[in-house]
Amino acid sequence: MAAMPAAAAAPEAVGVAPMPEISAPIALLLDVGSGRVLYARDAHRRFVPASITKIMTSYVAFDLISKGKLRLDQRIPIRPETYRAWRRVGSTMFLPSDAQPTVAELIEGIVTVSANDACVVLAEGATGSVPAFTGLMNAAAADLGMRDSHFNTPNGWMDQGQTYVTAADLATLSGALMTRFPDLYRRFYGHSQMTWNGITQPNHNPLYGFTQGADGVKTGFTNEAGYGFVGSAERNGRRLVMVLGGYDRPKDRTGQSRDFIEWGFGAWNAQQLFGKGAQVGVAEVQGGAERSVQLVAPRQLTVTAPAGRKVSYTLAVRYKGPLKAPITKGETVASLLVRVPGEPVHVLPLVAGAAVPKGGALARLRNGALSTVGL
């Protein structure tokens, strides 16, 4: 997933409908399919995320699950010291001292009711300690190109500013969460409430029940951070992600976030370039059982323009070639460069359409012979 380009705010684009009032000091609206920034205000300014941190917590958990290092049905007992430290601290699942919740239950608590206790229990159960887990969080941030973010805690609890993010980095993270782990994202995100151990709690996402297609992502609040929100909605294959940070009042966050994302869908249109799974190109492979691999779109890829306007563009595929085996199916191995006159180049991910294992001696001999004759 390429990092979000540093683009200007969208209202300068000719022909765009006036946007609603957004009083948050930090604001960003991104069309994920095209990578186009529809609006930005201080998108690269560092701020304290509070519970928005839990997006990265779920990302790391999903990654461990996808690699077989963590199981959804795995039970994790709560340590006595963890129970004492996090009992009824902020938002919780109200985990009892003898609890042994499953990984799936902990993730549901983290994502749906912002459970601080569940974050620490999951971190300790998955990696042995909170520092080990936050190490994975920071490694993931580096891998995603989140250059202005750092995580010191899995739940975003106040830590004198040691945990910080930017709106641009959060948009990158959210897009990667949805693209790389679509099944897990659909399973755990988008729930309006959660019942566990006889206790029902609501999700405070202001889009749920009001915005068509809303399915994420995470609210956050502490006295240190104010009221923040990363929100997402998908309509007809088109996904928008917004980041709002630093509100003083929750009602402003609620009303303005709903208006903001509706403006994104209404004032802008998306022209499809490639549907999800479509072949975009072919890349050469070195040292593999096959000499090439198809490059496919991991999601719908689009170009975005003000409503009612067609866009001219050029496309190019870029990768560091030849690719080296082994290659995993679905692995991001190339980029689609979309050039629209007057805009920064939009860089969209392309993934391997099939796995390419390392080739044996015969495969290497065959490939070498074919290369010698120019085939």
Side-chain angles (χ1 to χ4, degrees), residues 180-210:
R180 296 189 178 185
F181 313 110
D183 294 338
L184 289 167
Y185 180 79
R186 284 191 296 268
R187 172 168 178 170
F188 290 104
Y189 279 86
H191 303 166
S192 61
Q193 65 178 26
M194 173 189 177
T195 299
W196 188 81
N197 200 28
I199 301 172
T200 299
Q201 299 184 71
N203 190 324
H204 294 294
N205 187 314
L207 303 185
Y208 291 172
F210 293 90

Side-chain angles (χ1 to χ4, degrees), residues 49 65 75 188 196 202 212 264 271 296 303 316-317 328 341 356 360 369 372:
I65 292 164
R75 292 195 173 275
F188 290 104
W196 188 81
Q212 178 188 347
Q271 298 173 216
V296 303
V303 59
V317 172
T328 304
V356 182
T372 301

Side-chain angles (χ1 to χ4, degrees), residues 56 81 238 286:
M56 179 58 89
E81 59 271 26
R238 181 186 177 203
Q286 184 180 63

Side-chain angles (χ1 to χ4, degrees), residues 44-246:
H44 295 275
R45 171 182 161 189
R46 293 178 178 179
F47 69 98
V48 177
S51 287
I52 294 173
T53 298
K54 292 159 186 166
I55 301 174
M56 179 58 89
T57 304
S58 69
Y59 181 92
V60 170
F62 290 175
D63 186 53
L64 292 172
I65 292 164
S66 71
K67 292 175 179 176
K69 297 180 180 180
L70 198 63
R71 302 190 324 273
L72 288 172
D73 62 353
Q74 180 178 334
R75 292 195 173 275
I76 299 179
I78 183 170
R79 298 175 180 177
E81 59 271 26
T82 301
Y83 173 76
R84 290 191 296 269
W86 291 101
R87 179 175 178 267
R88 297 181 180 272
V89 176
S91 301
T92 74
M93 278 179 68
F94 301 101
L95 290 167
S97 59
D98 59 350
Q100 294 192 36
T102 65
V103 168
E105 289 169 335
L106 291 170
I107 295 174
E108 179 75 15
I110 292 165
V111 168
T112 303
V113 300
S114 199
N116 290 325
D117 50 356
C119 290
V120 179
V121 172
L122 178 67
E124 293 175 342
T127 61
S129 70
V130 166
F133 193 87
T134 56
L136 294 182
M137 295 171 74
N138 289 311
D143 179 64
L144 292 170
M146 298 171 60
R147 289 182 288 272
D148 292 305
S149 296
H150 181 265
F151 298 95
N152 182 61
T153 166
N155 56 21
W157 193 249
M158 293 173 285
D159 60 359
Q160 291 76 51
Q162 295 182 74
T163 297
Y164 55 83
V165 294
T166 67
D169 282 354
L170 287 173
T172 295
L173 170 62
S174 299
L177 179 76
M178 300 161 189
T179 301
R180 296 189 178 185
F181 313 110
D183 294 338
L184 289 167
Y185 180 79
R186 284 191 296 268
R187 172 168 178 170
F188 290 104
Y189 279 86
H191 303 166
S192 61
Q193 65 178 26
M194 173 189 177
T195 299
W196 188 81
N197 200 28
I199 301 172
T200 299
Q201 299 184 71
N203 190 324
H204 294 294
N205 187 314
L207 303 185
Y208 291 172
F210 293 90
T211 301
Q212 178 188 347
D215 61 2
V217 176
K218 191 73 191 70
T219 57
F221 168 75
T222 61
N223 291 329
E224 180 184 35
Y227 294 89
F229 179 43
V230 178
S232 181
E234 184 177 33
R235 297 178 187 173
N236 300 317
R238 181 186 177 203
R239 180 176 291 282
L240 301 184
V241 168
M242 66 178 164
V243 183
L244 297 166

Side-chain angles (χ1 to χ4, degrees), residues 263-300:
W263 174 79
F265 281 113
W268 299 82
N269 284 340
Q271 298 173 216
Q272 179 171 293
L273 301 174
F274 298 96
K276 180 180 179 180
Q279 181 179 338
V280 179
V282 176
E284 294 181 10
V285 177
Q286 184 180 63
E290 303 293 338
R291 300 181 64 211
S292 64
V293 65
Q294 292 182 351
L295 303 175
V296 303
R299 59 173 187 260
Q300 179 176 265

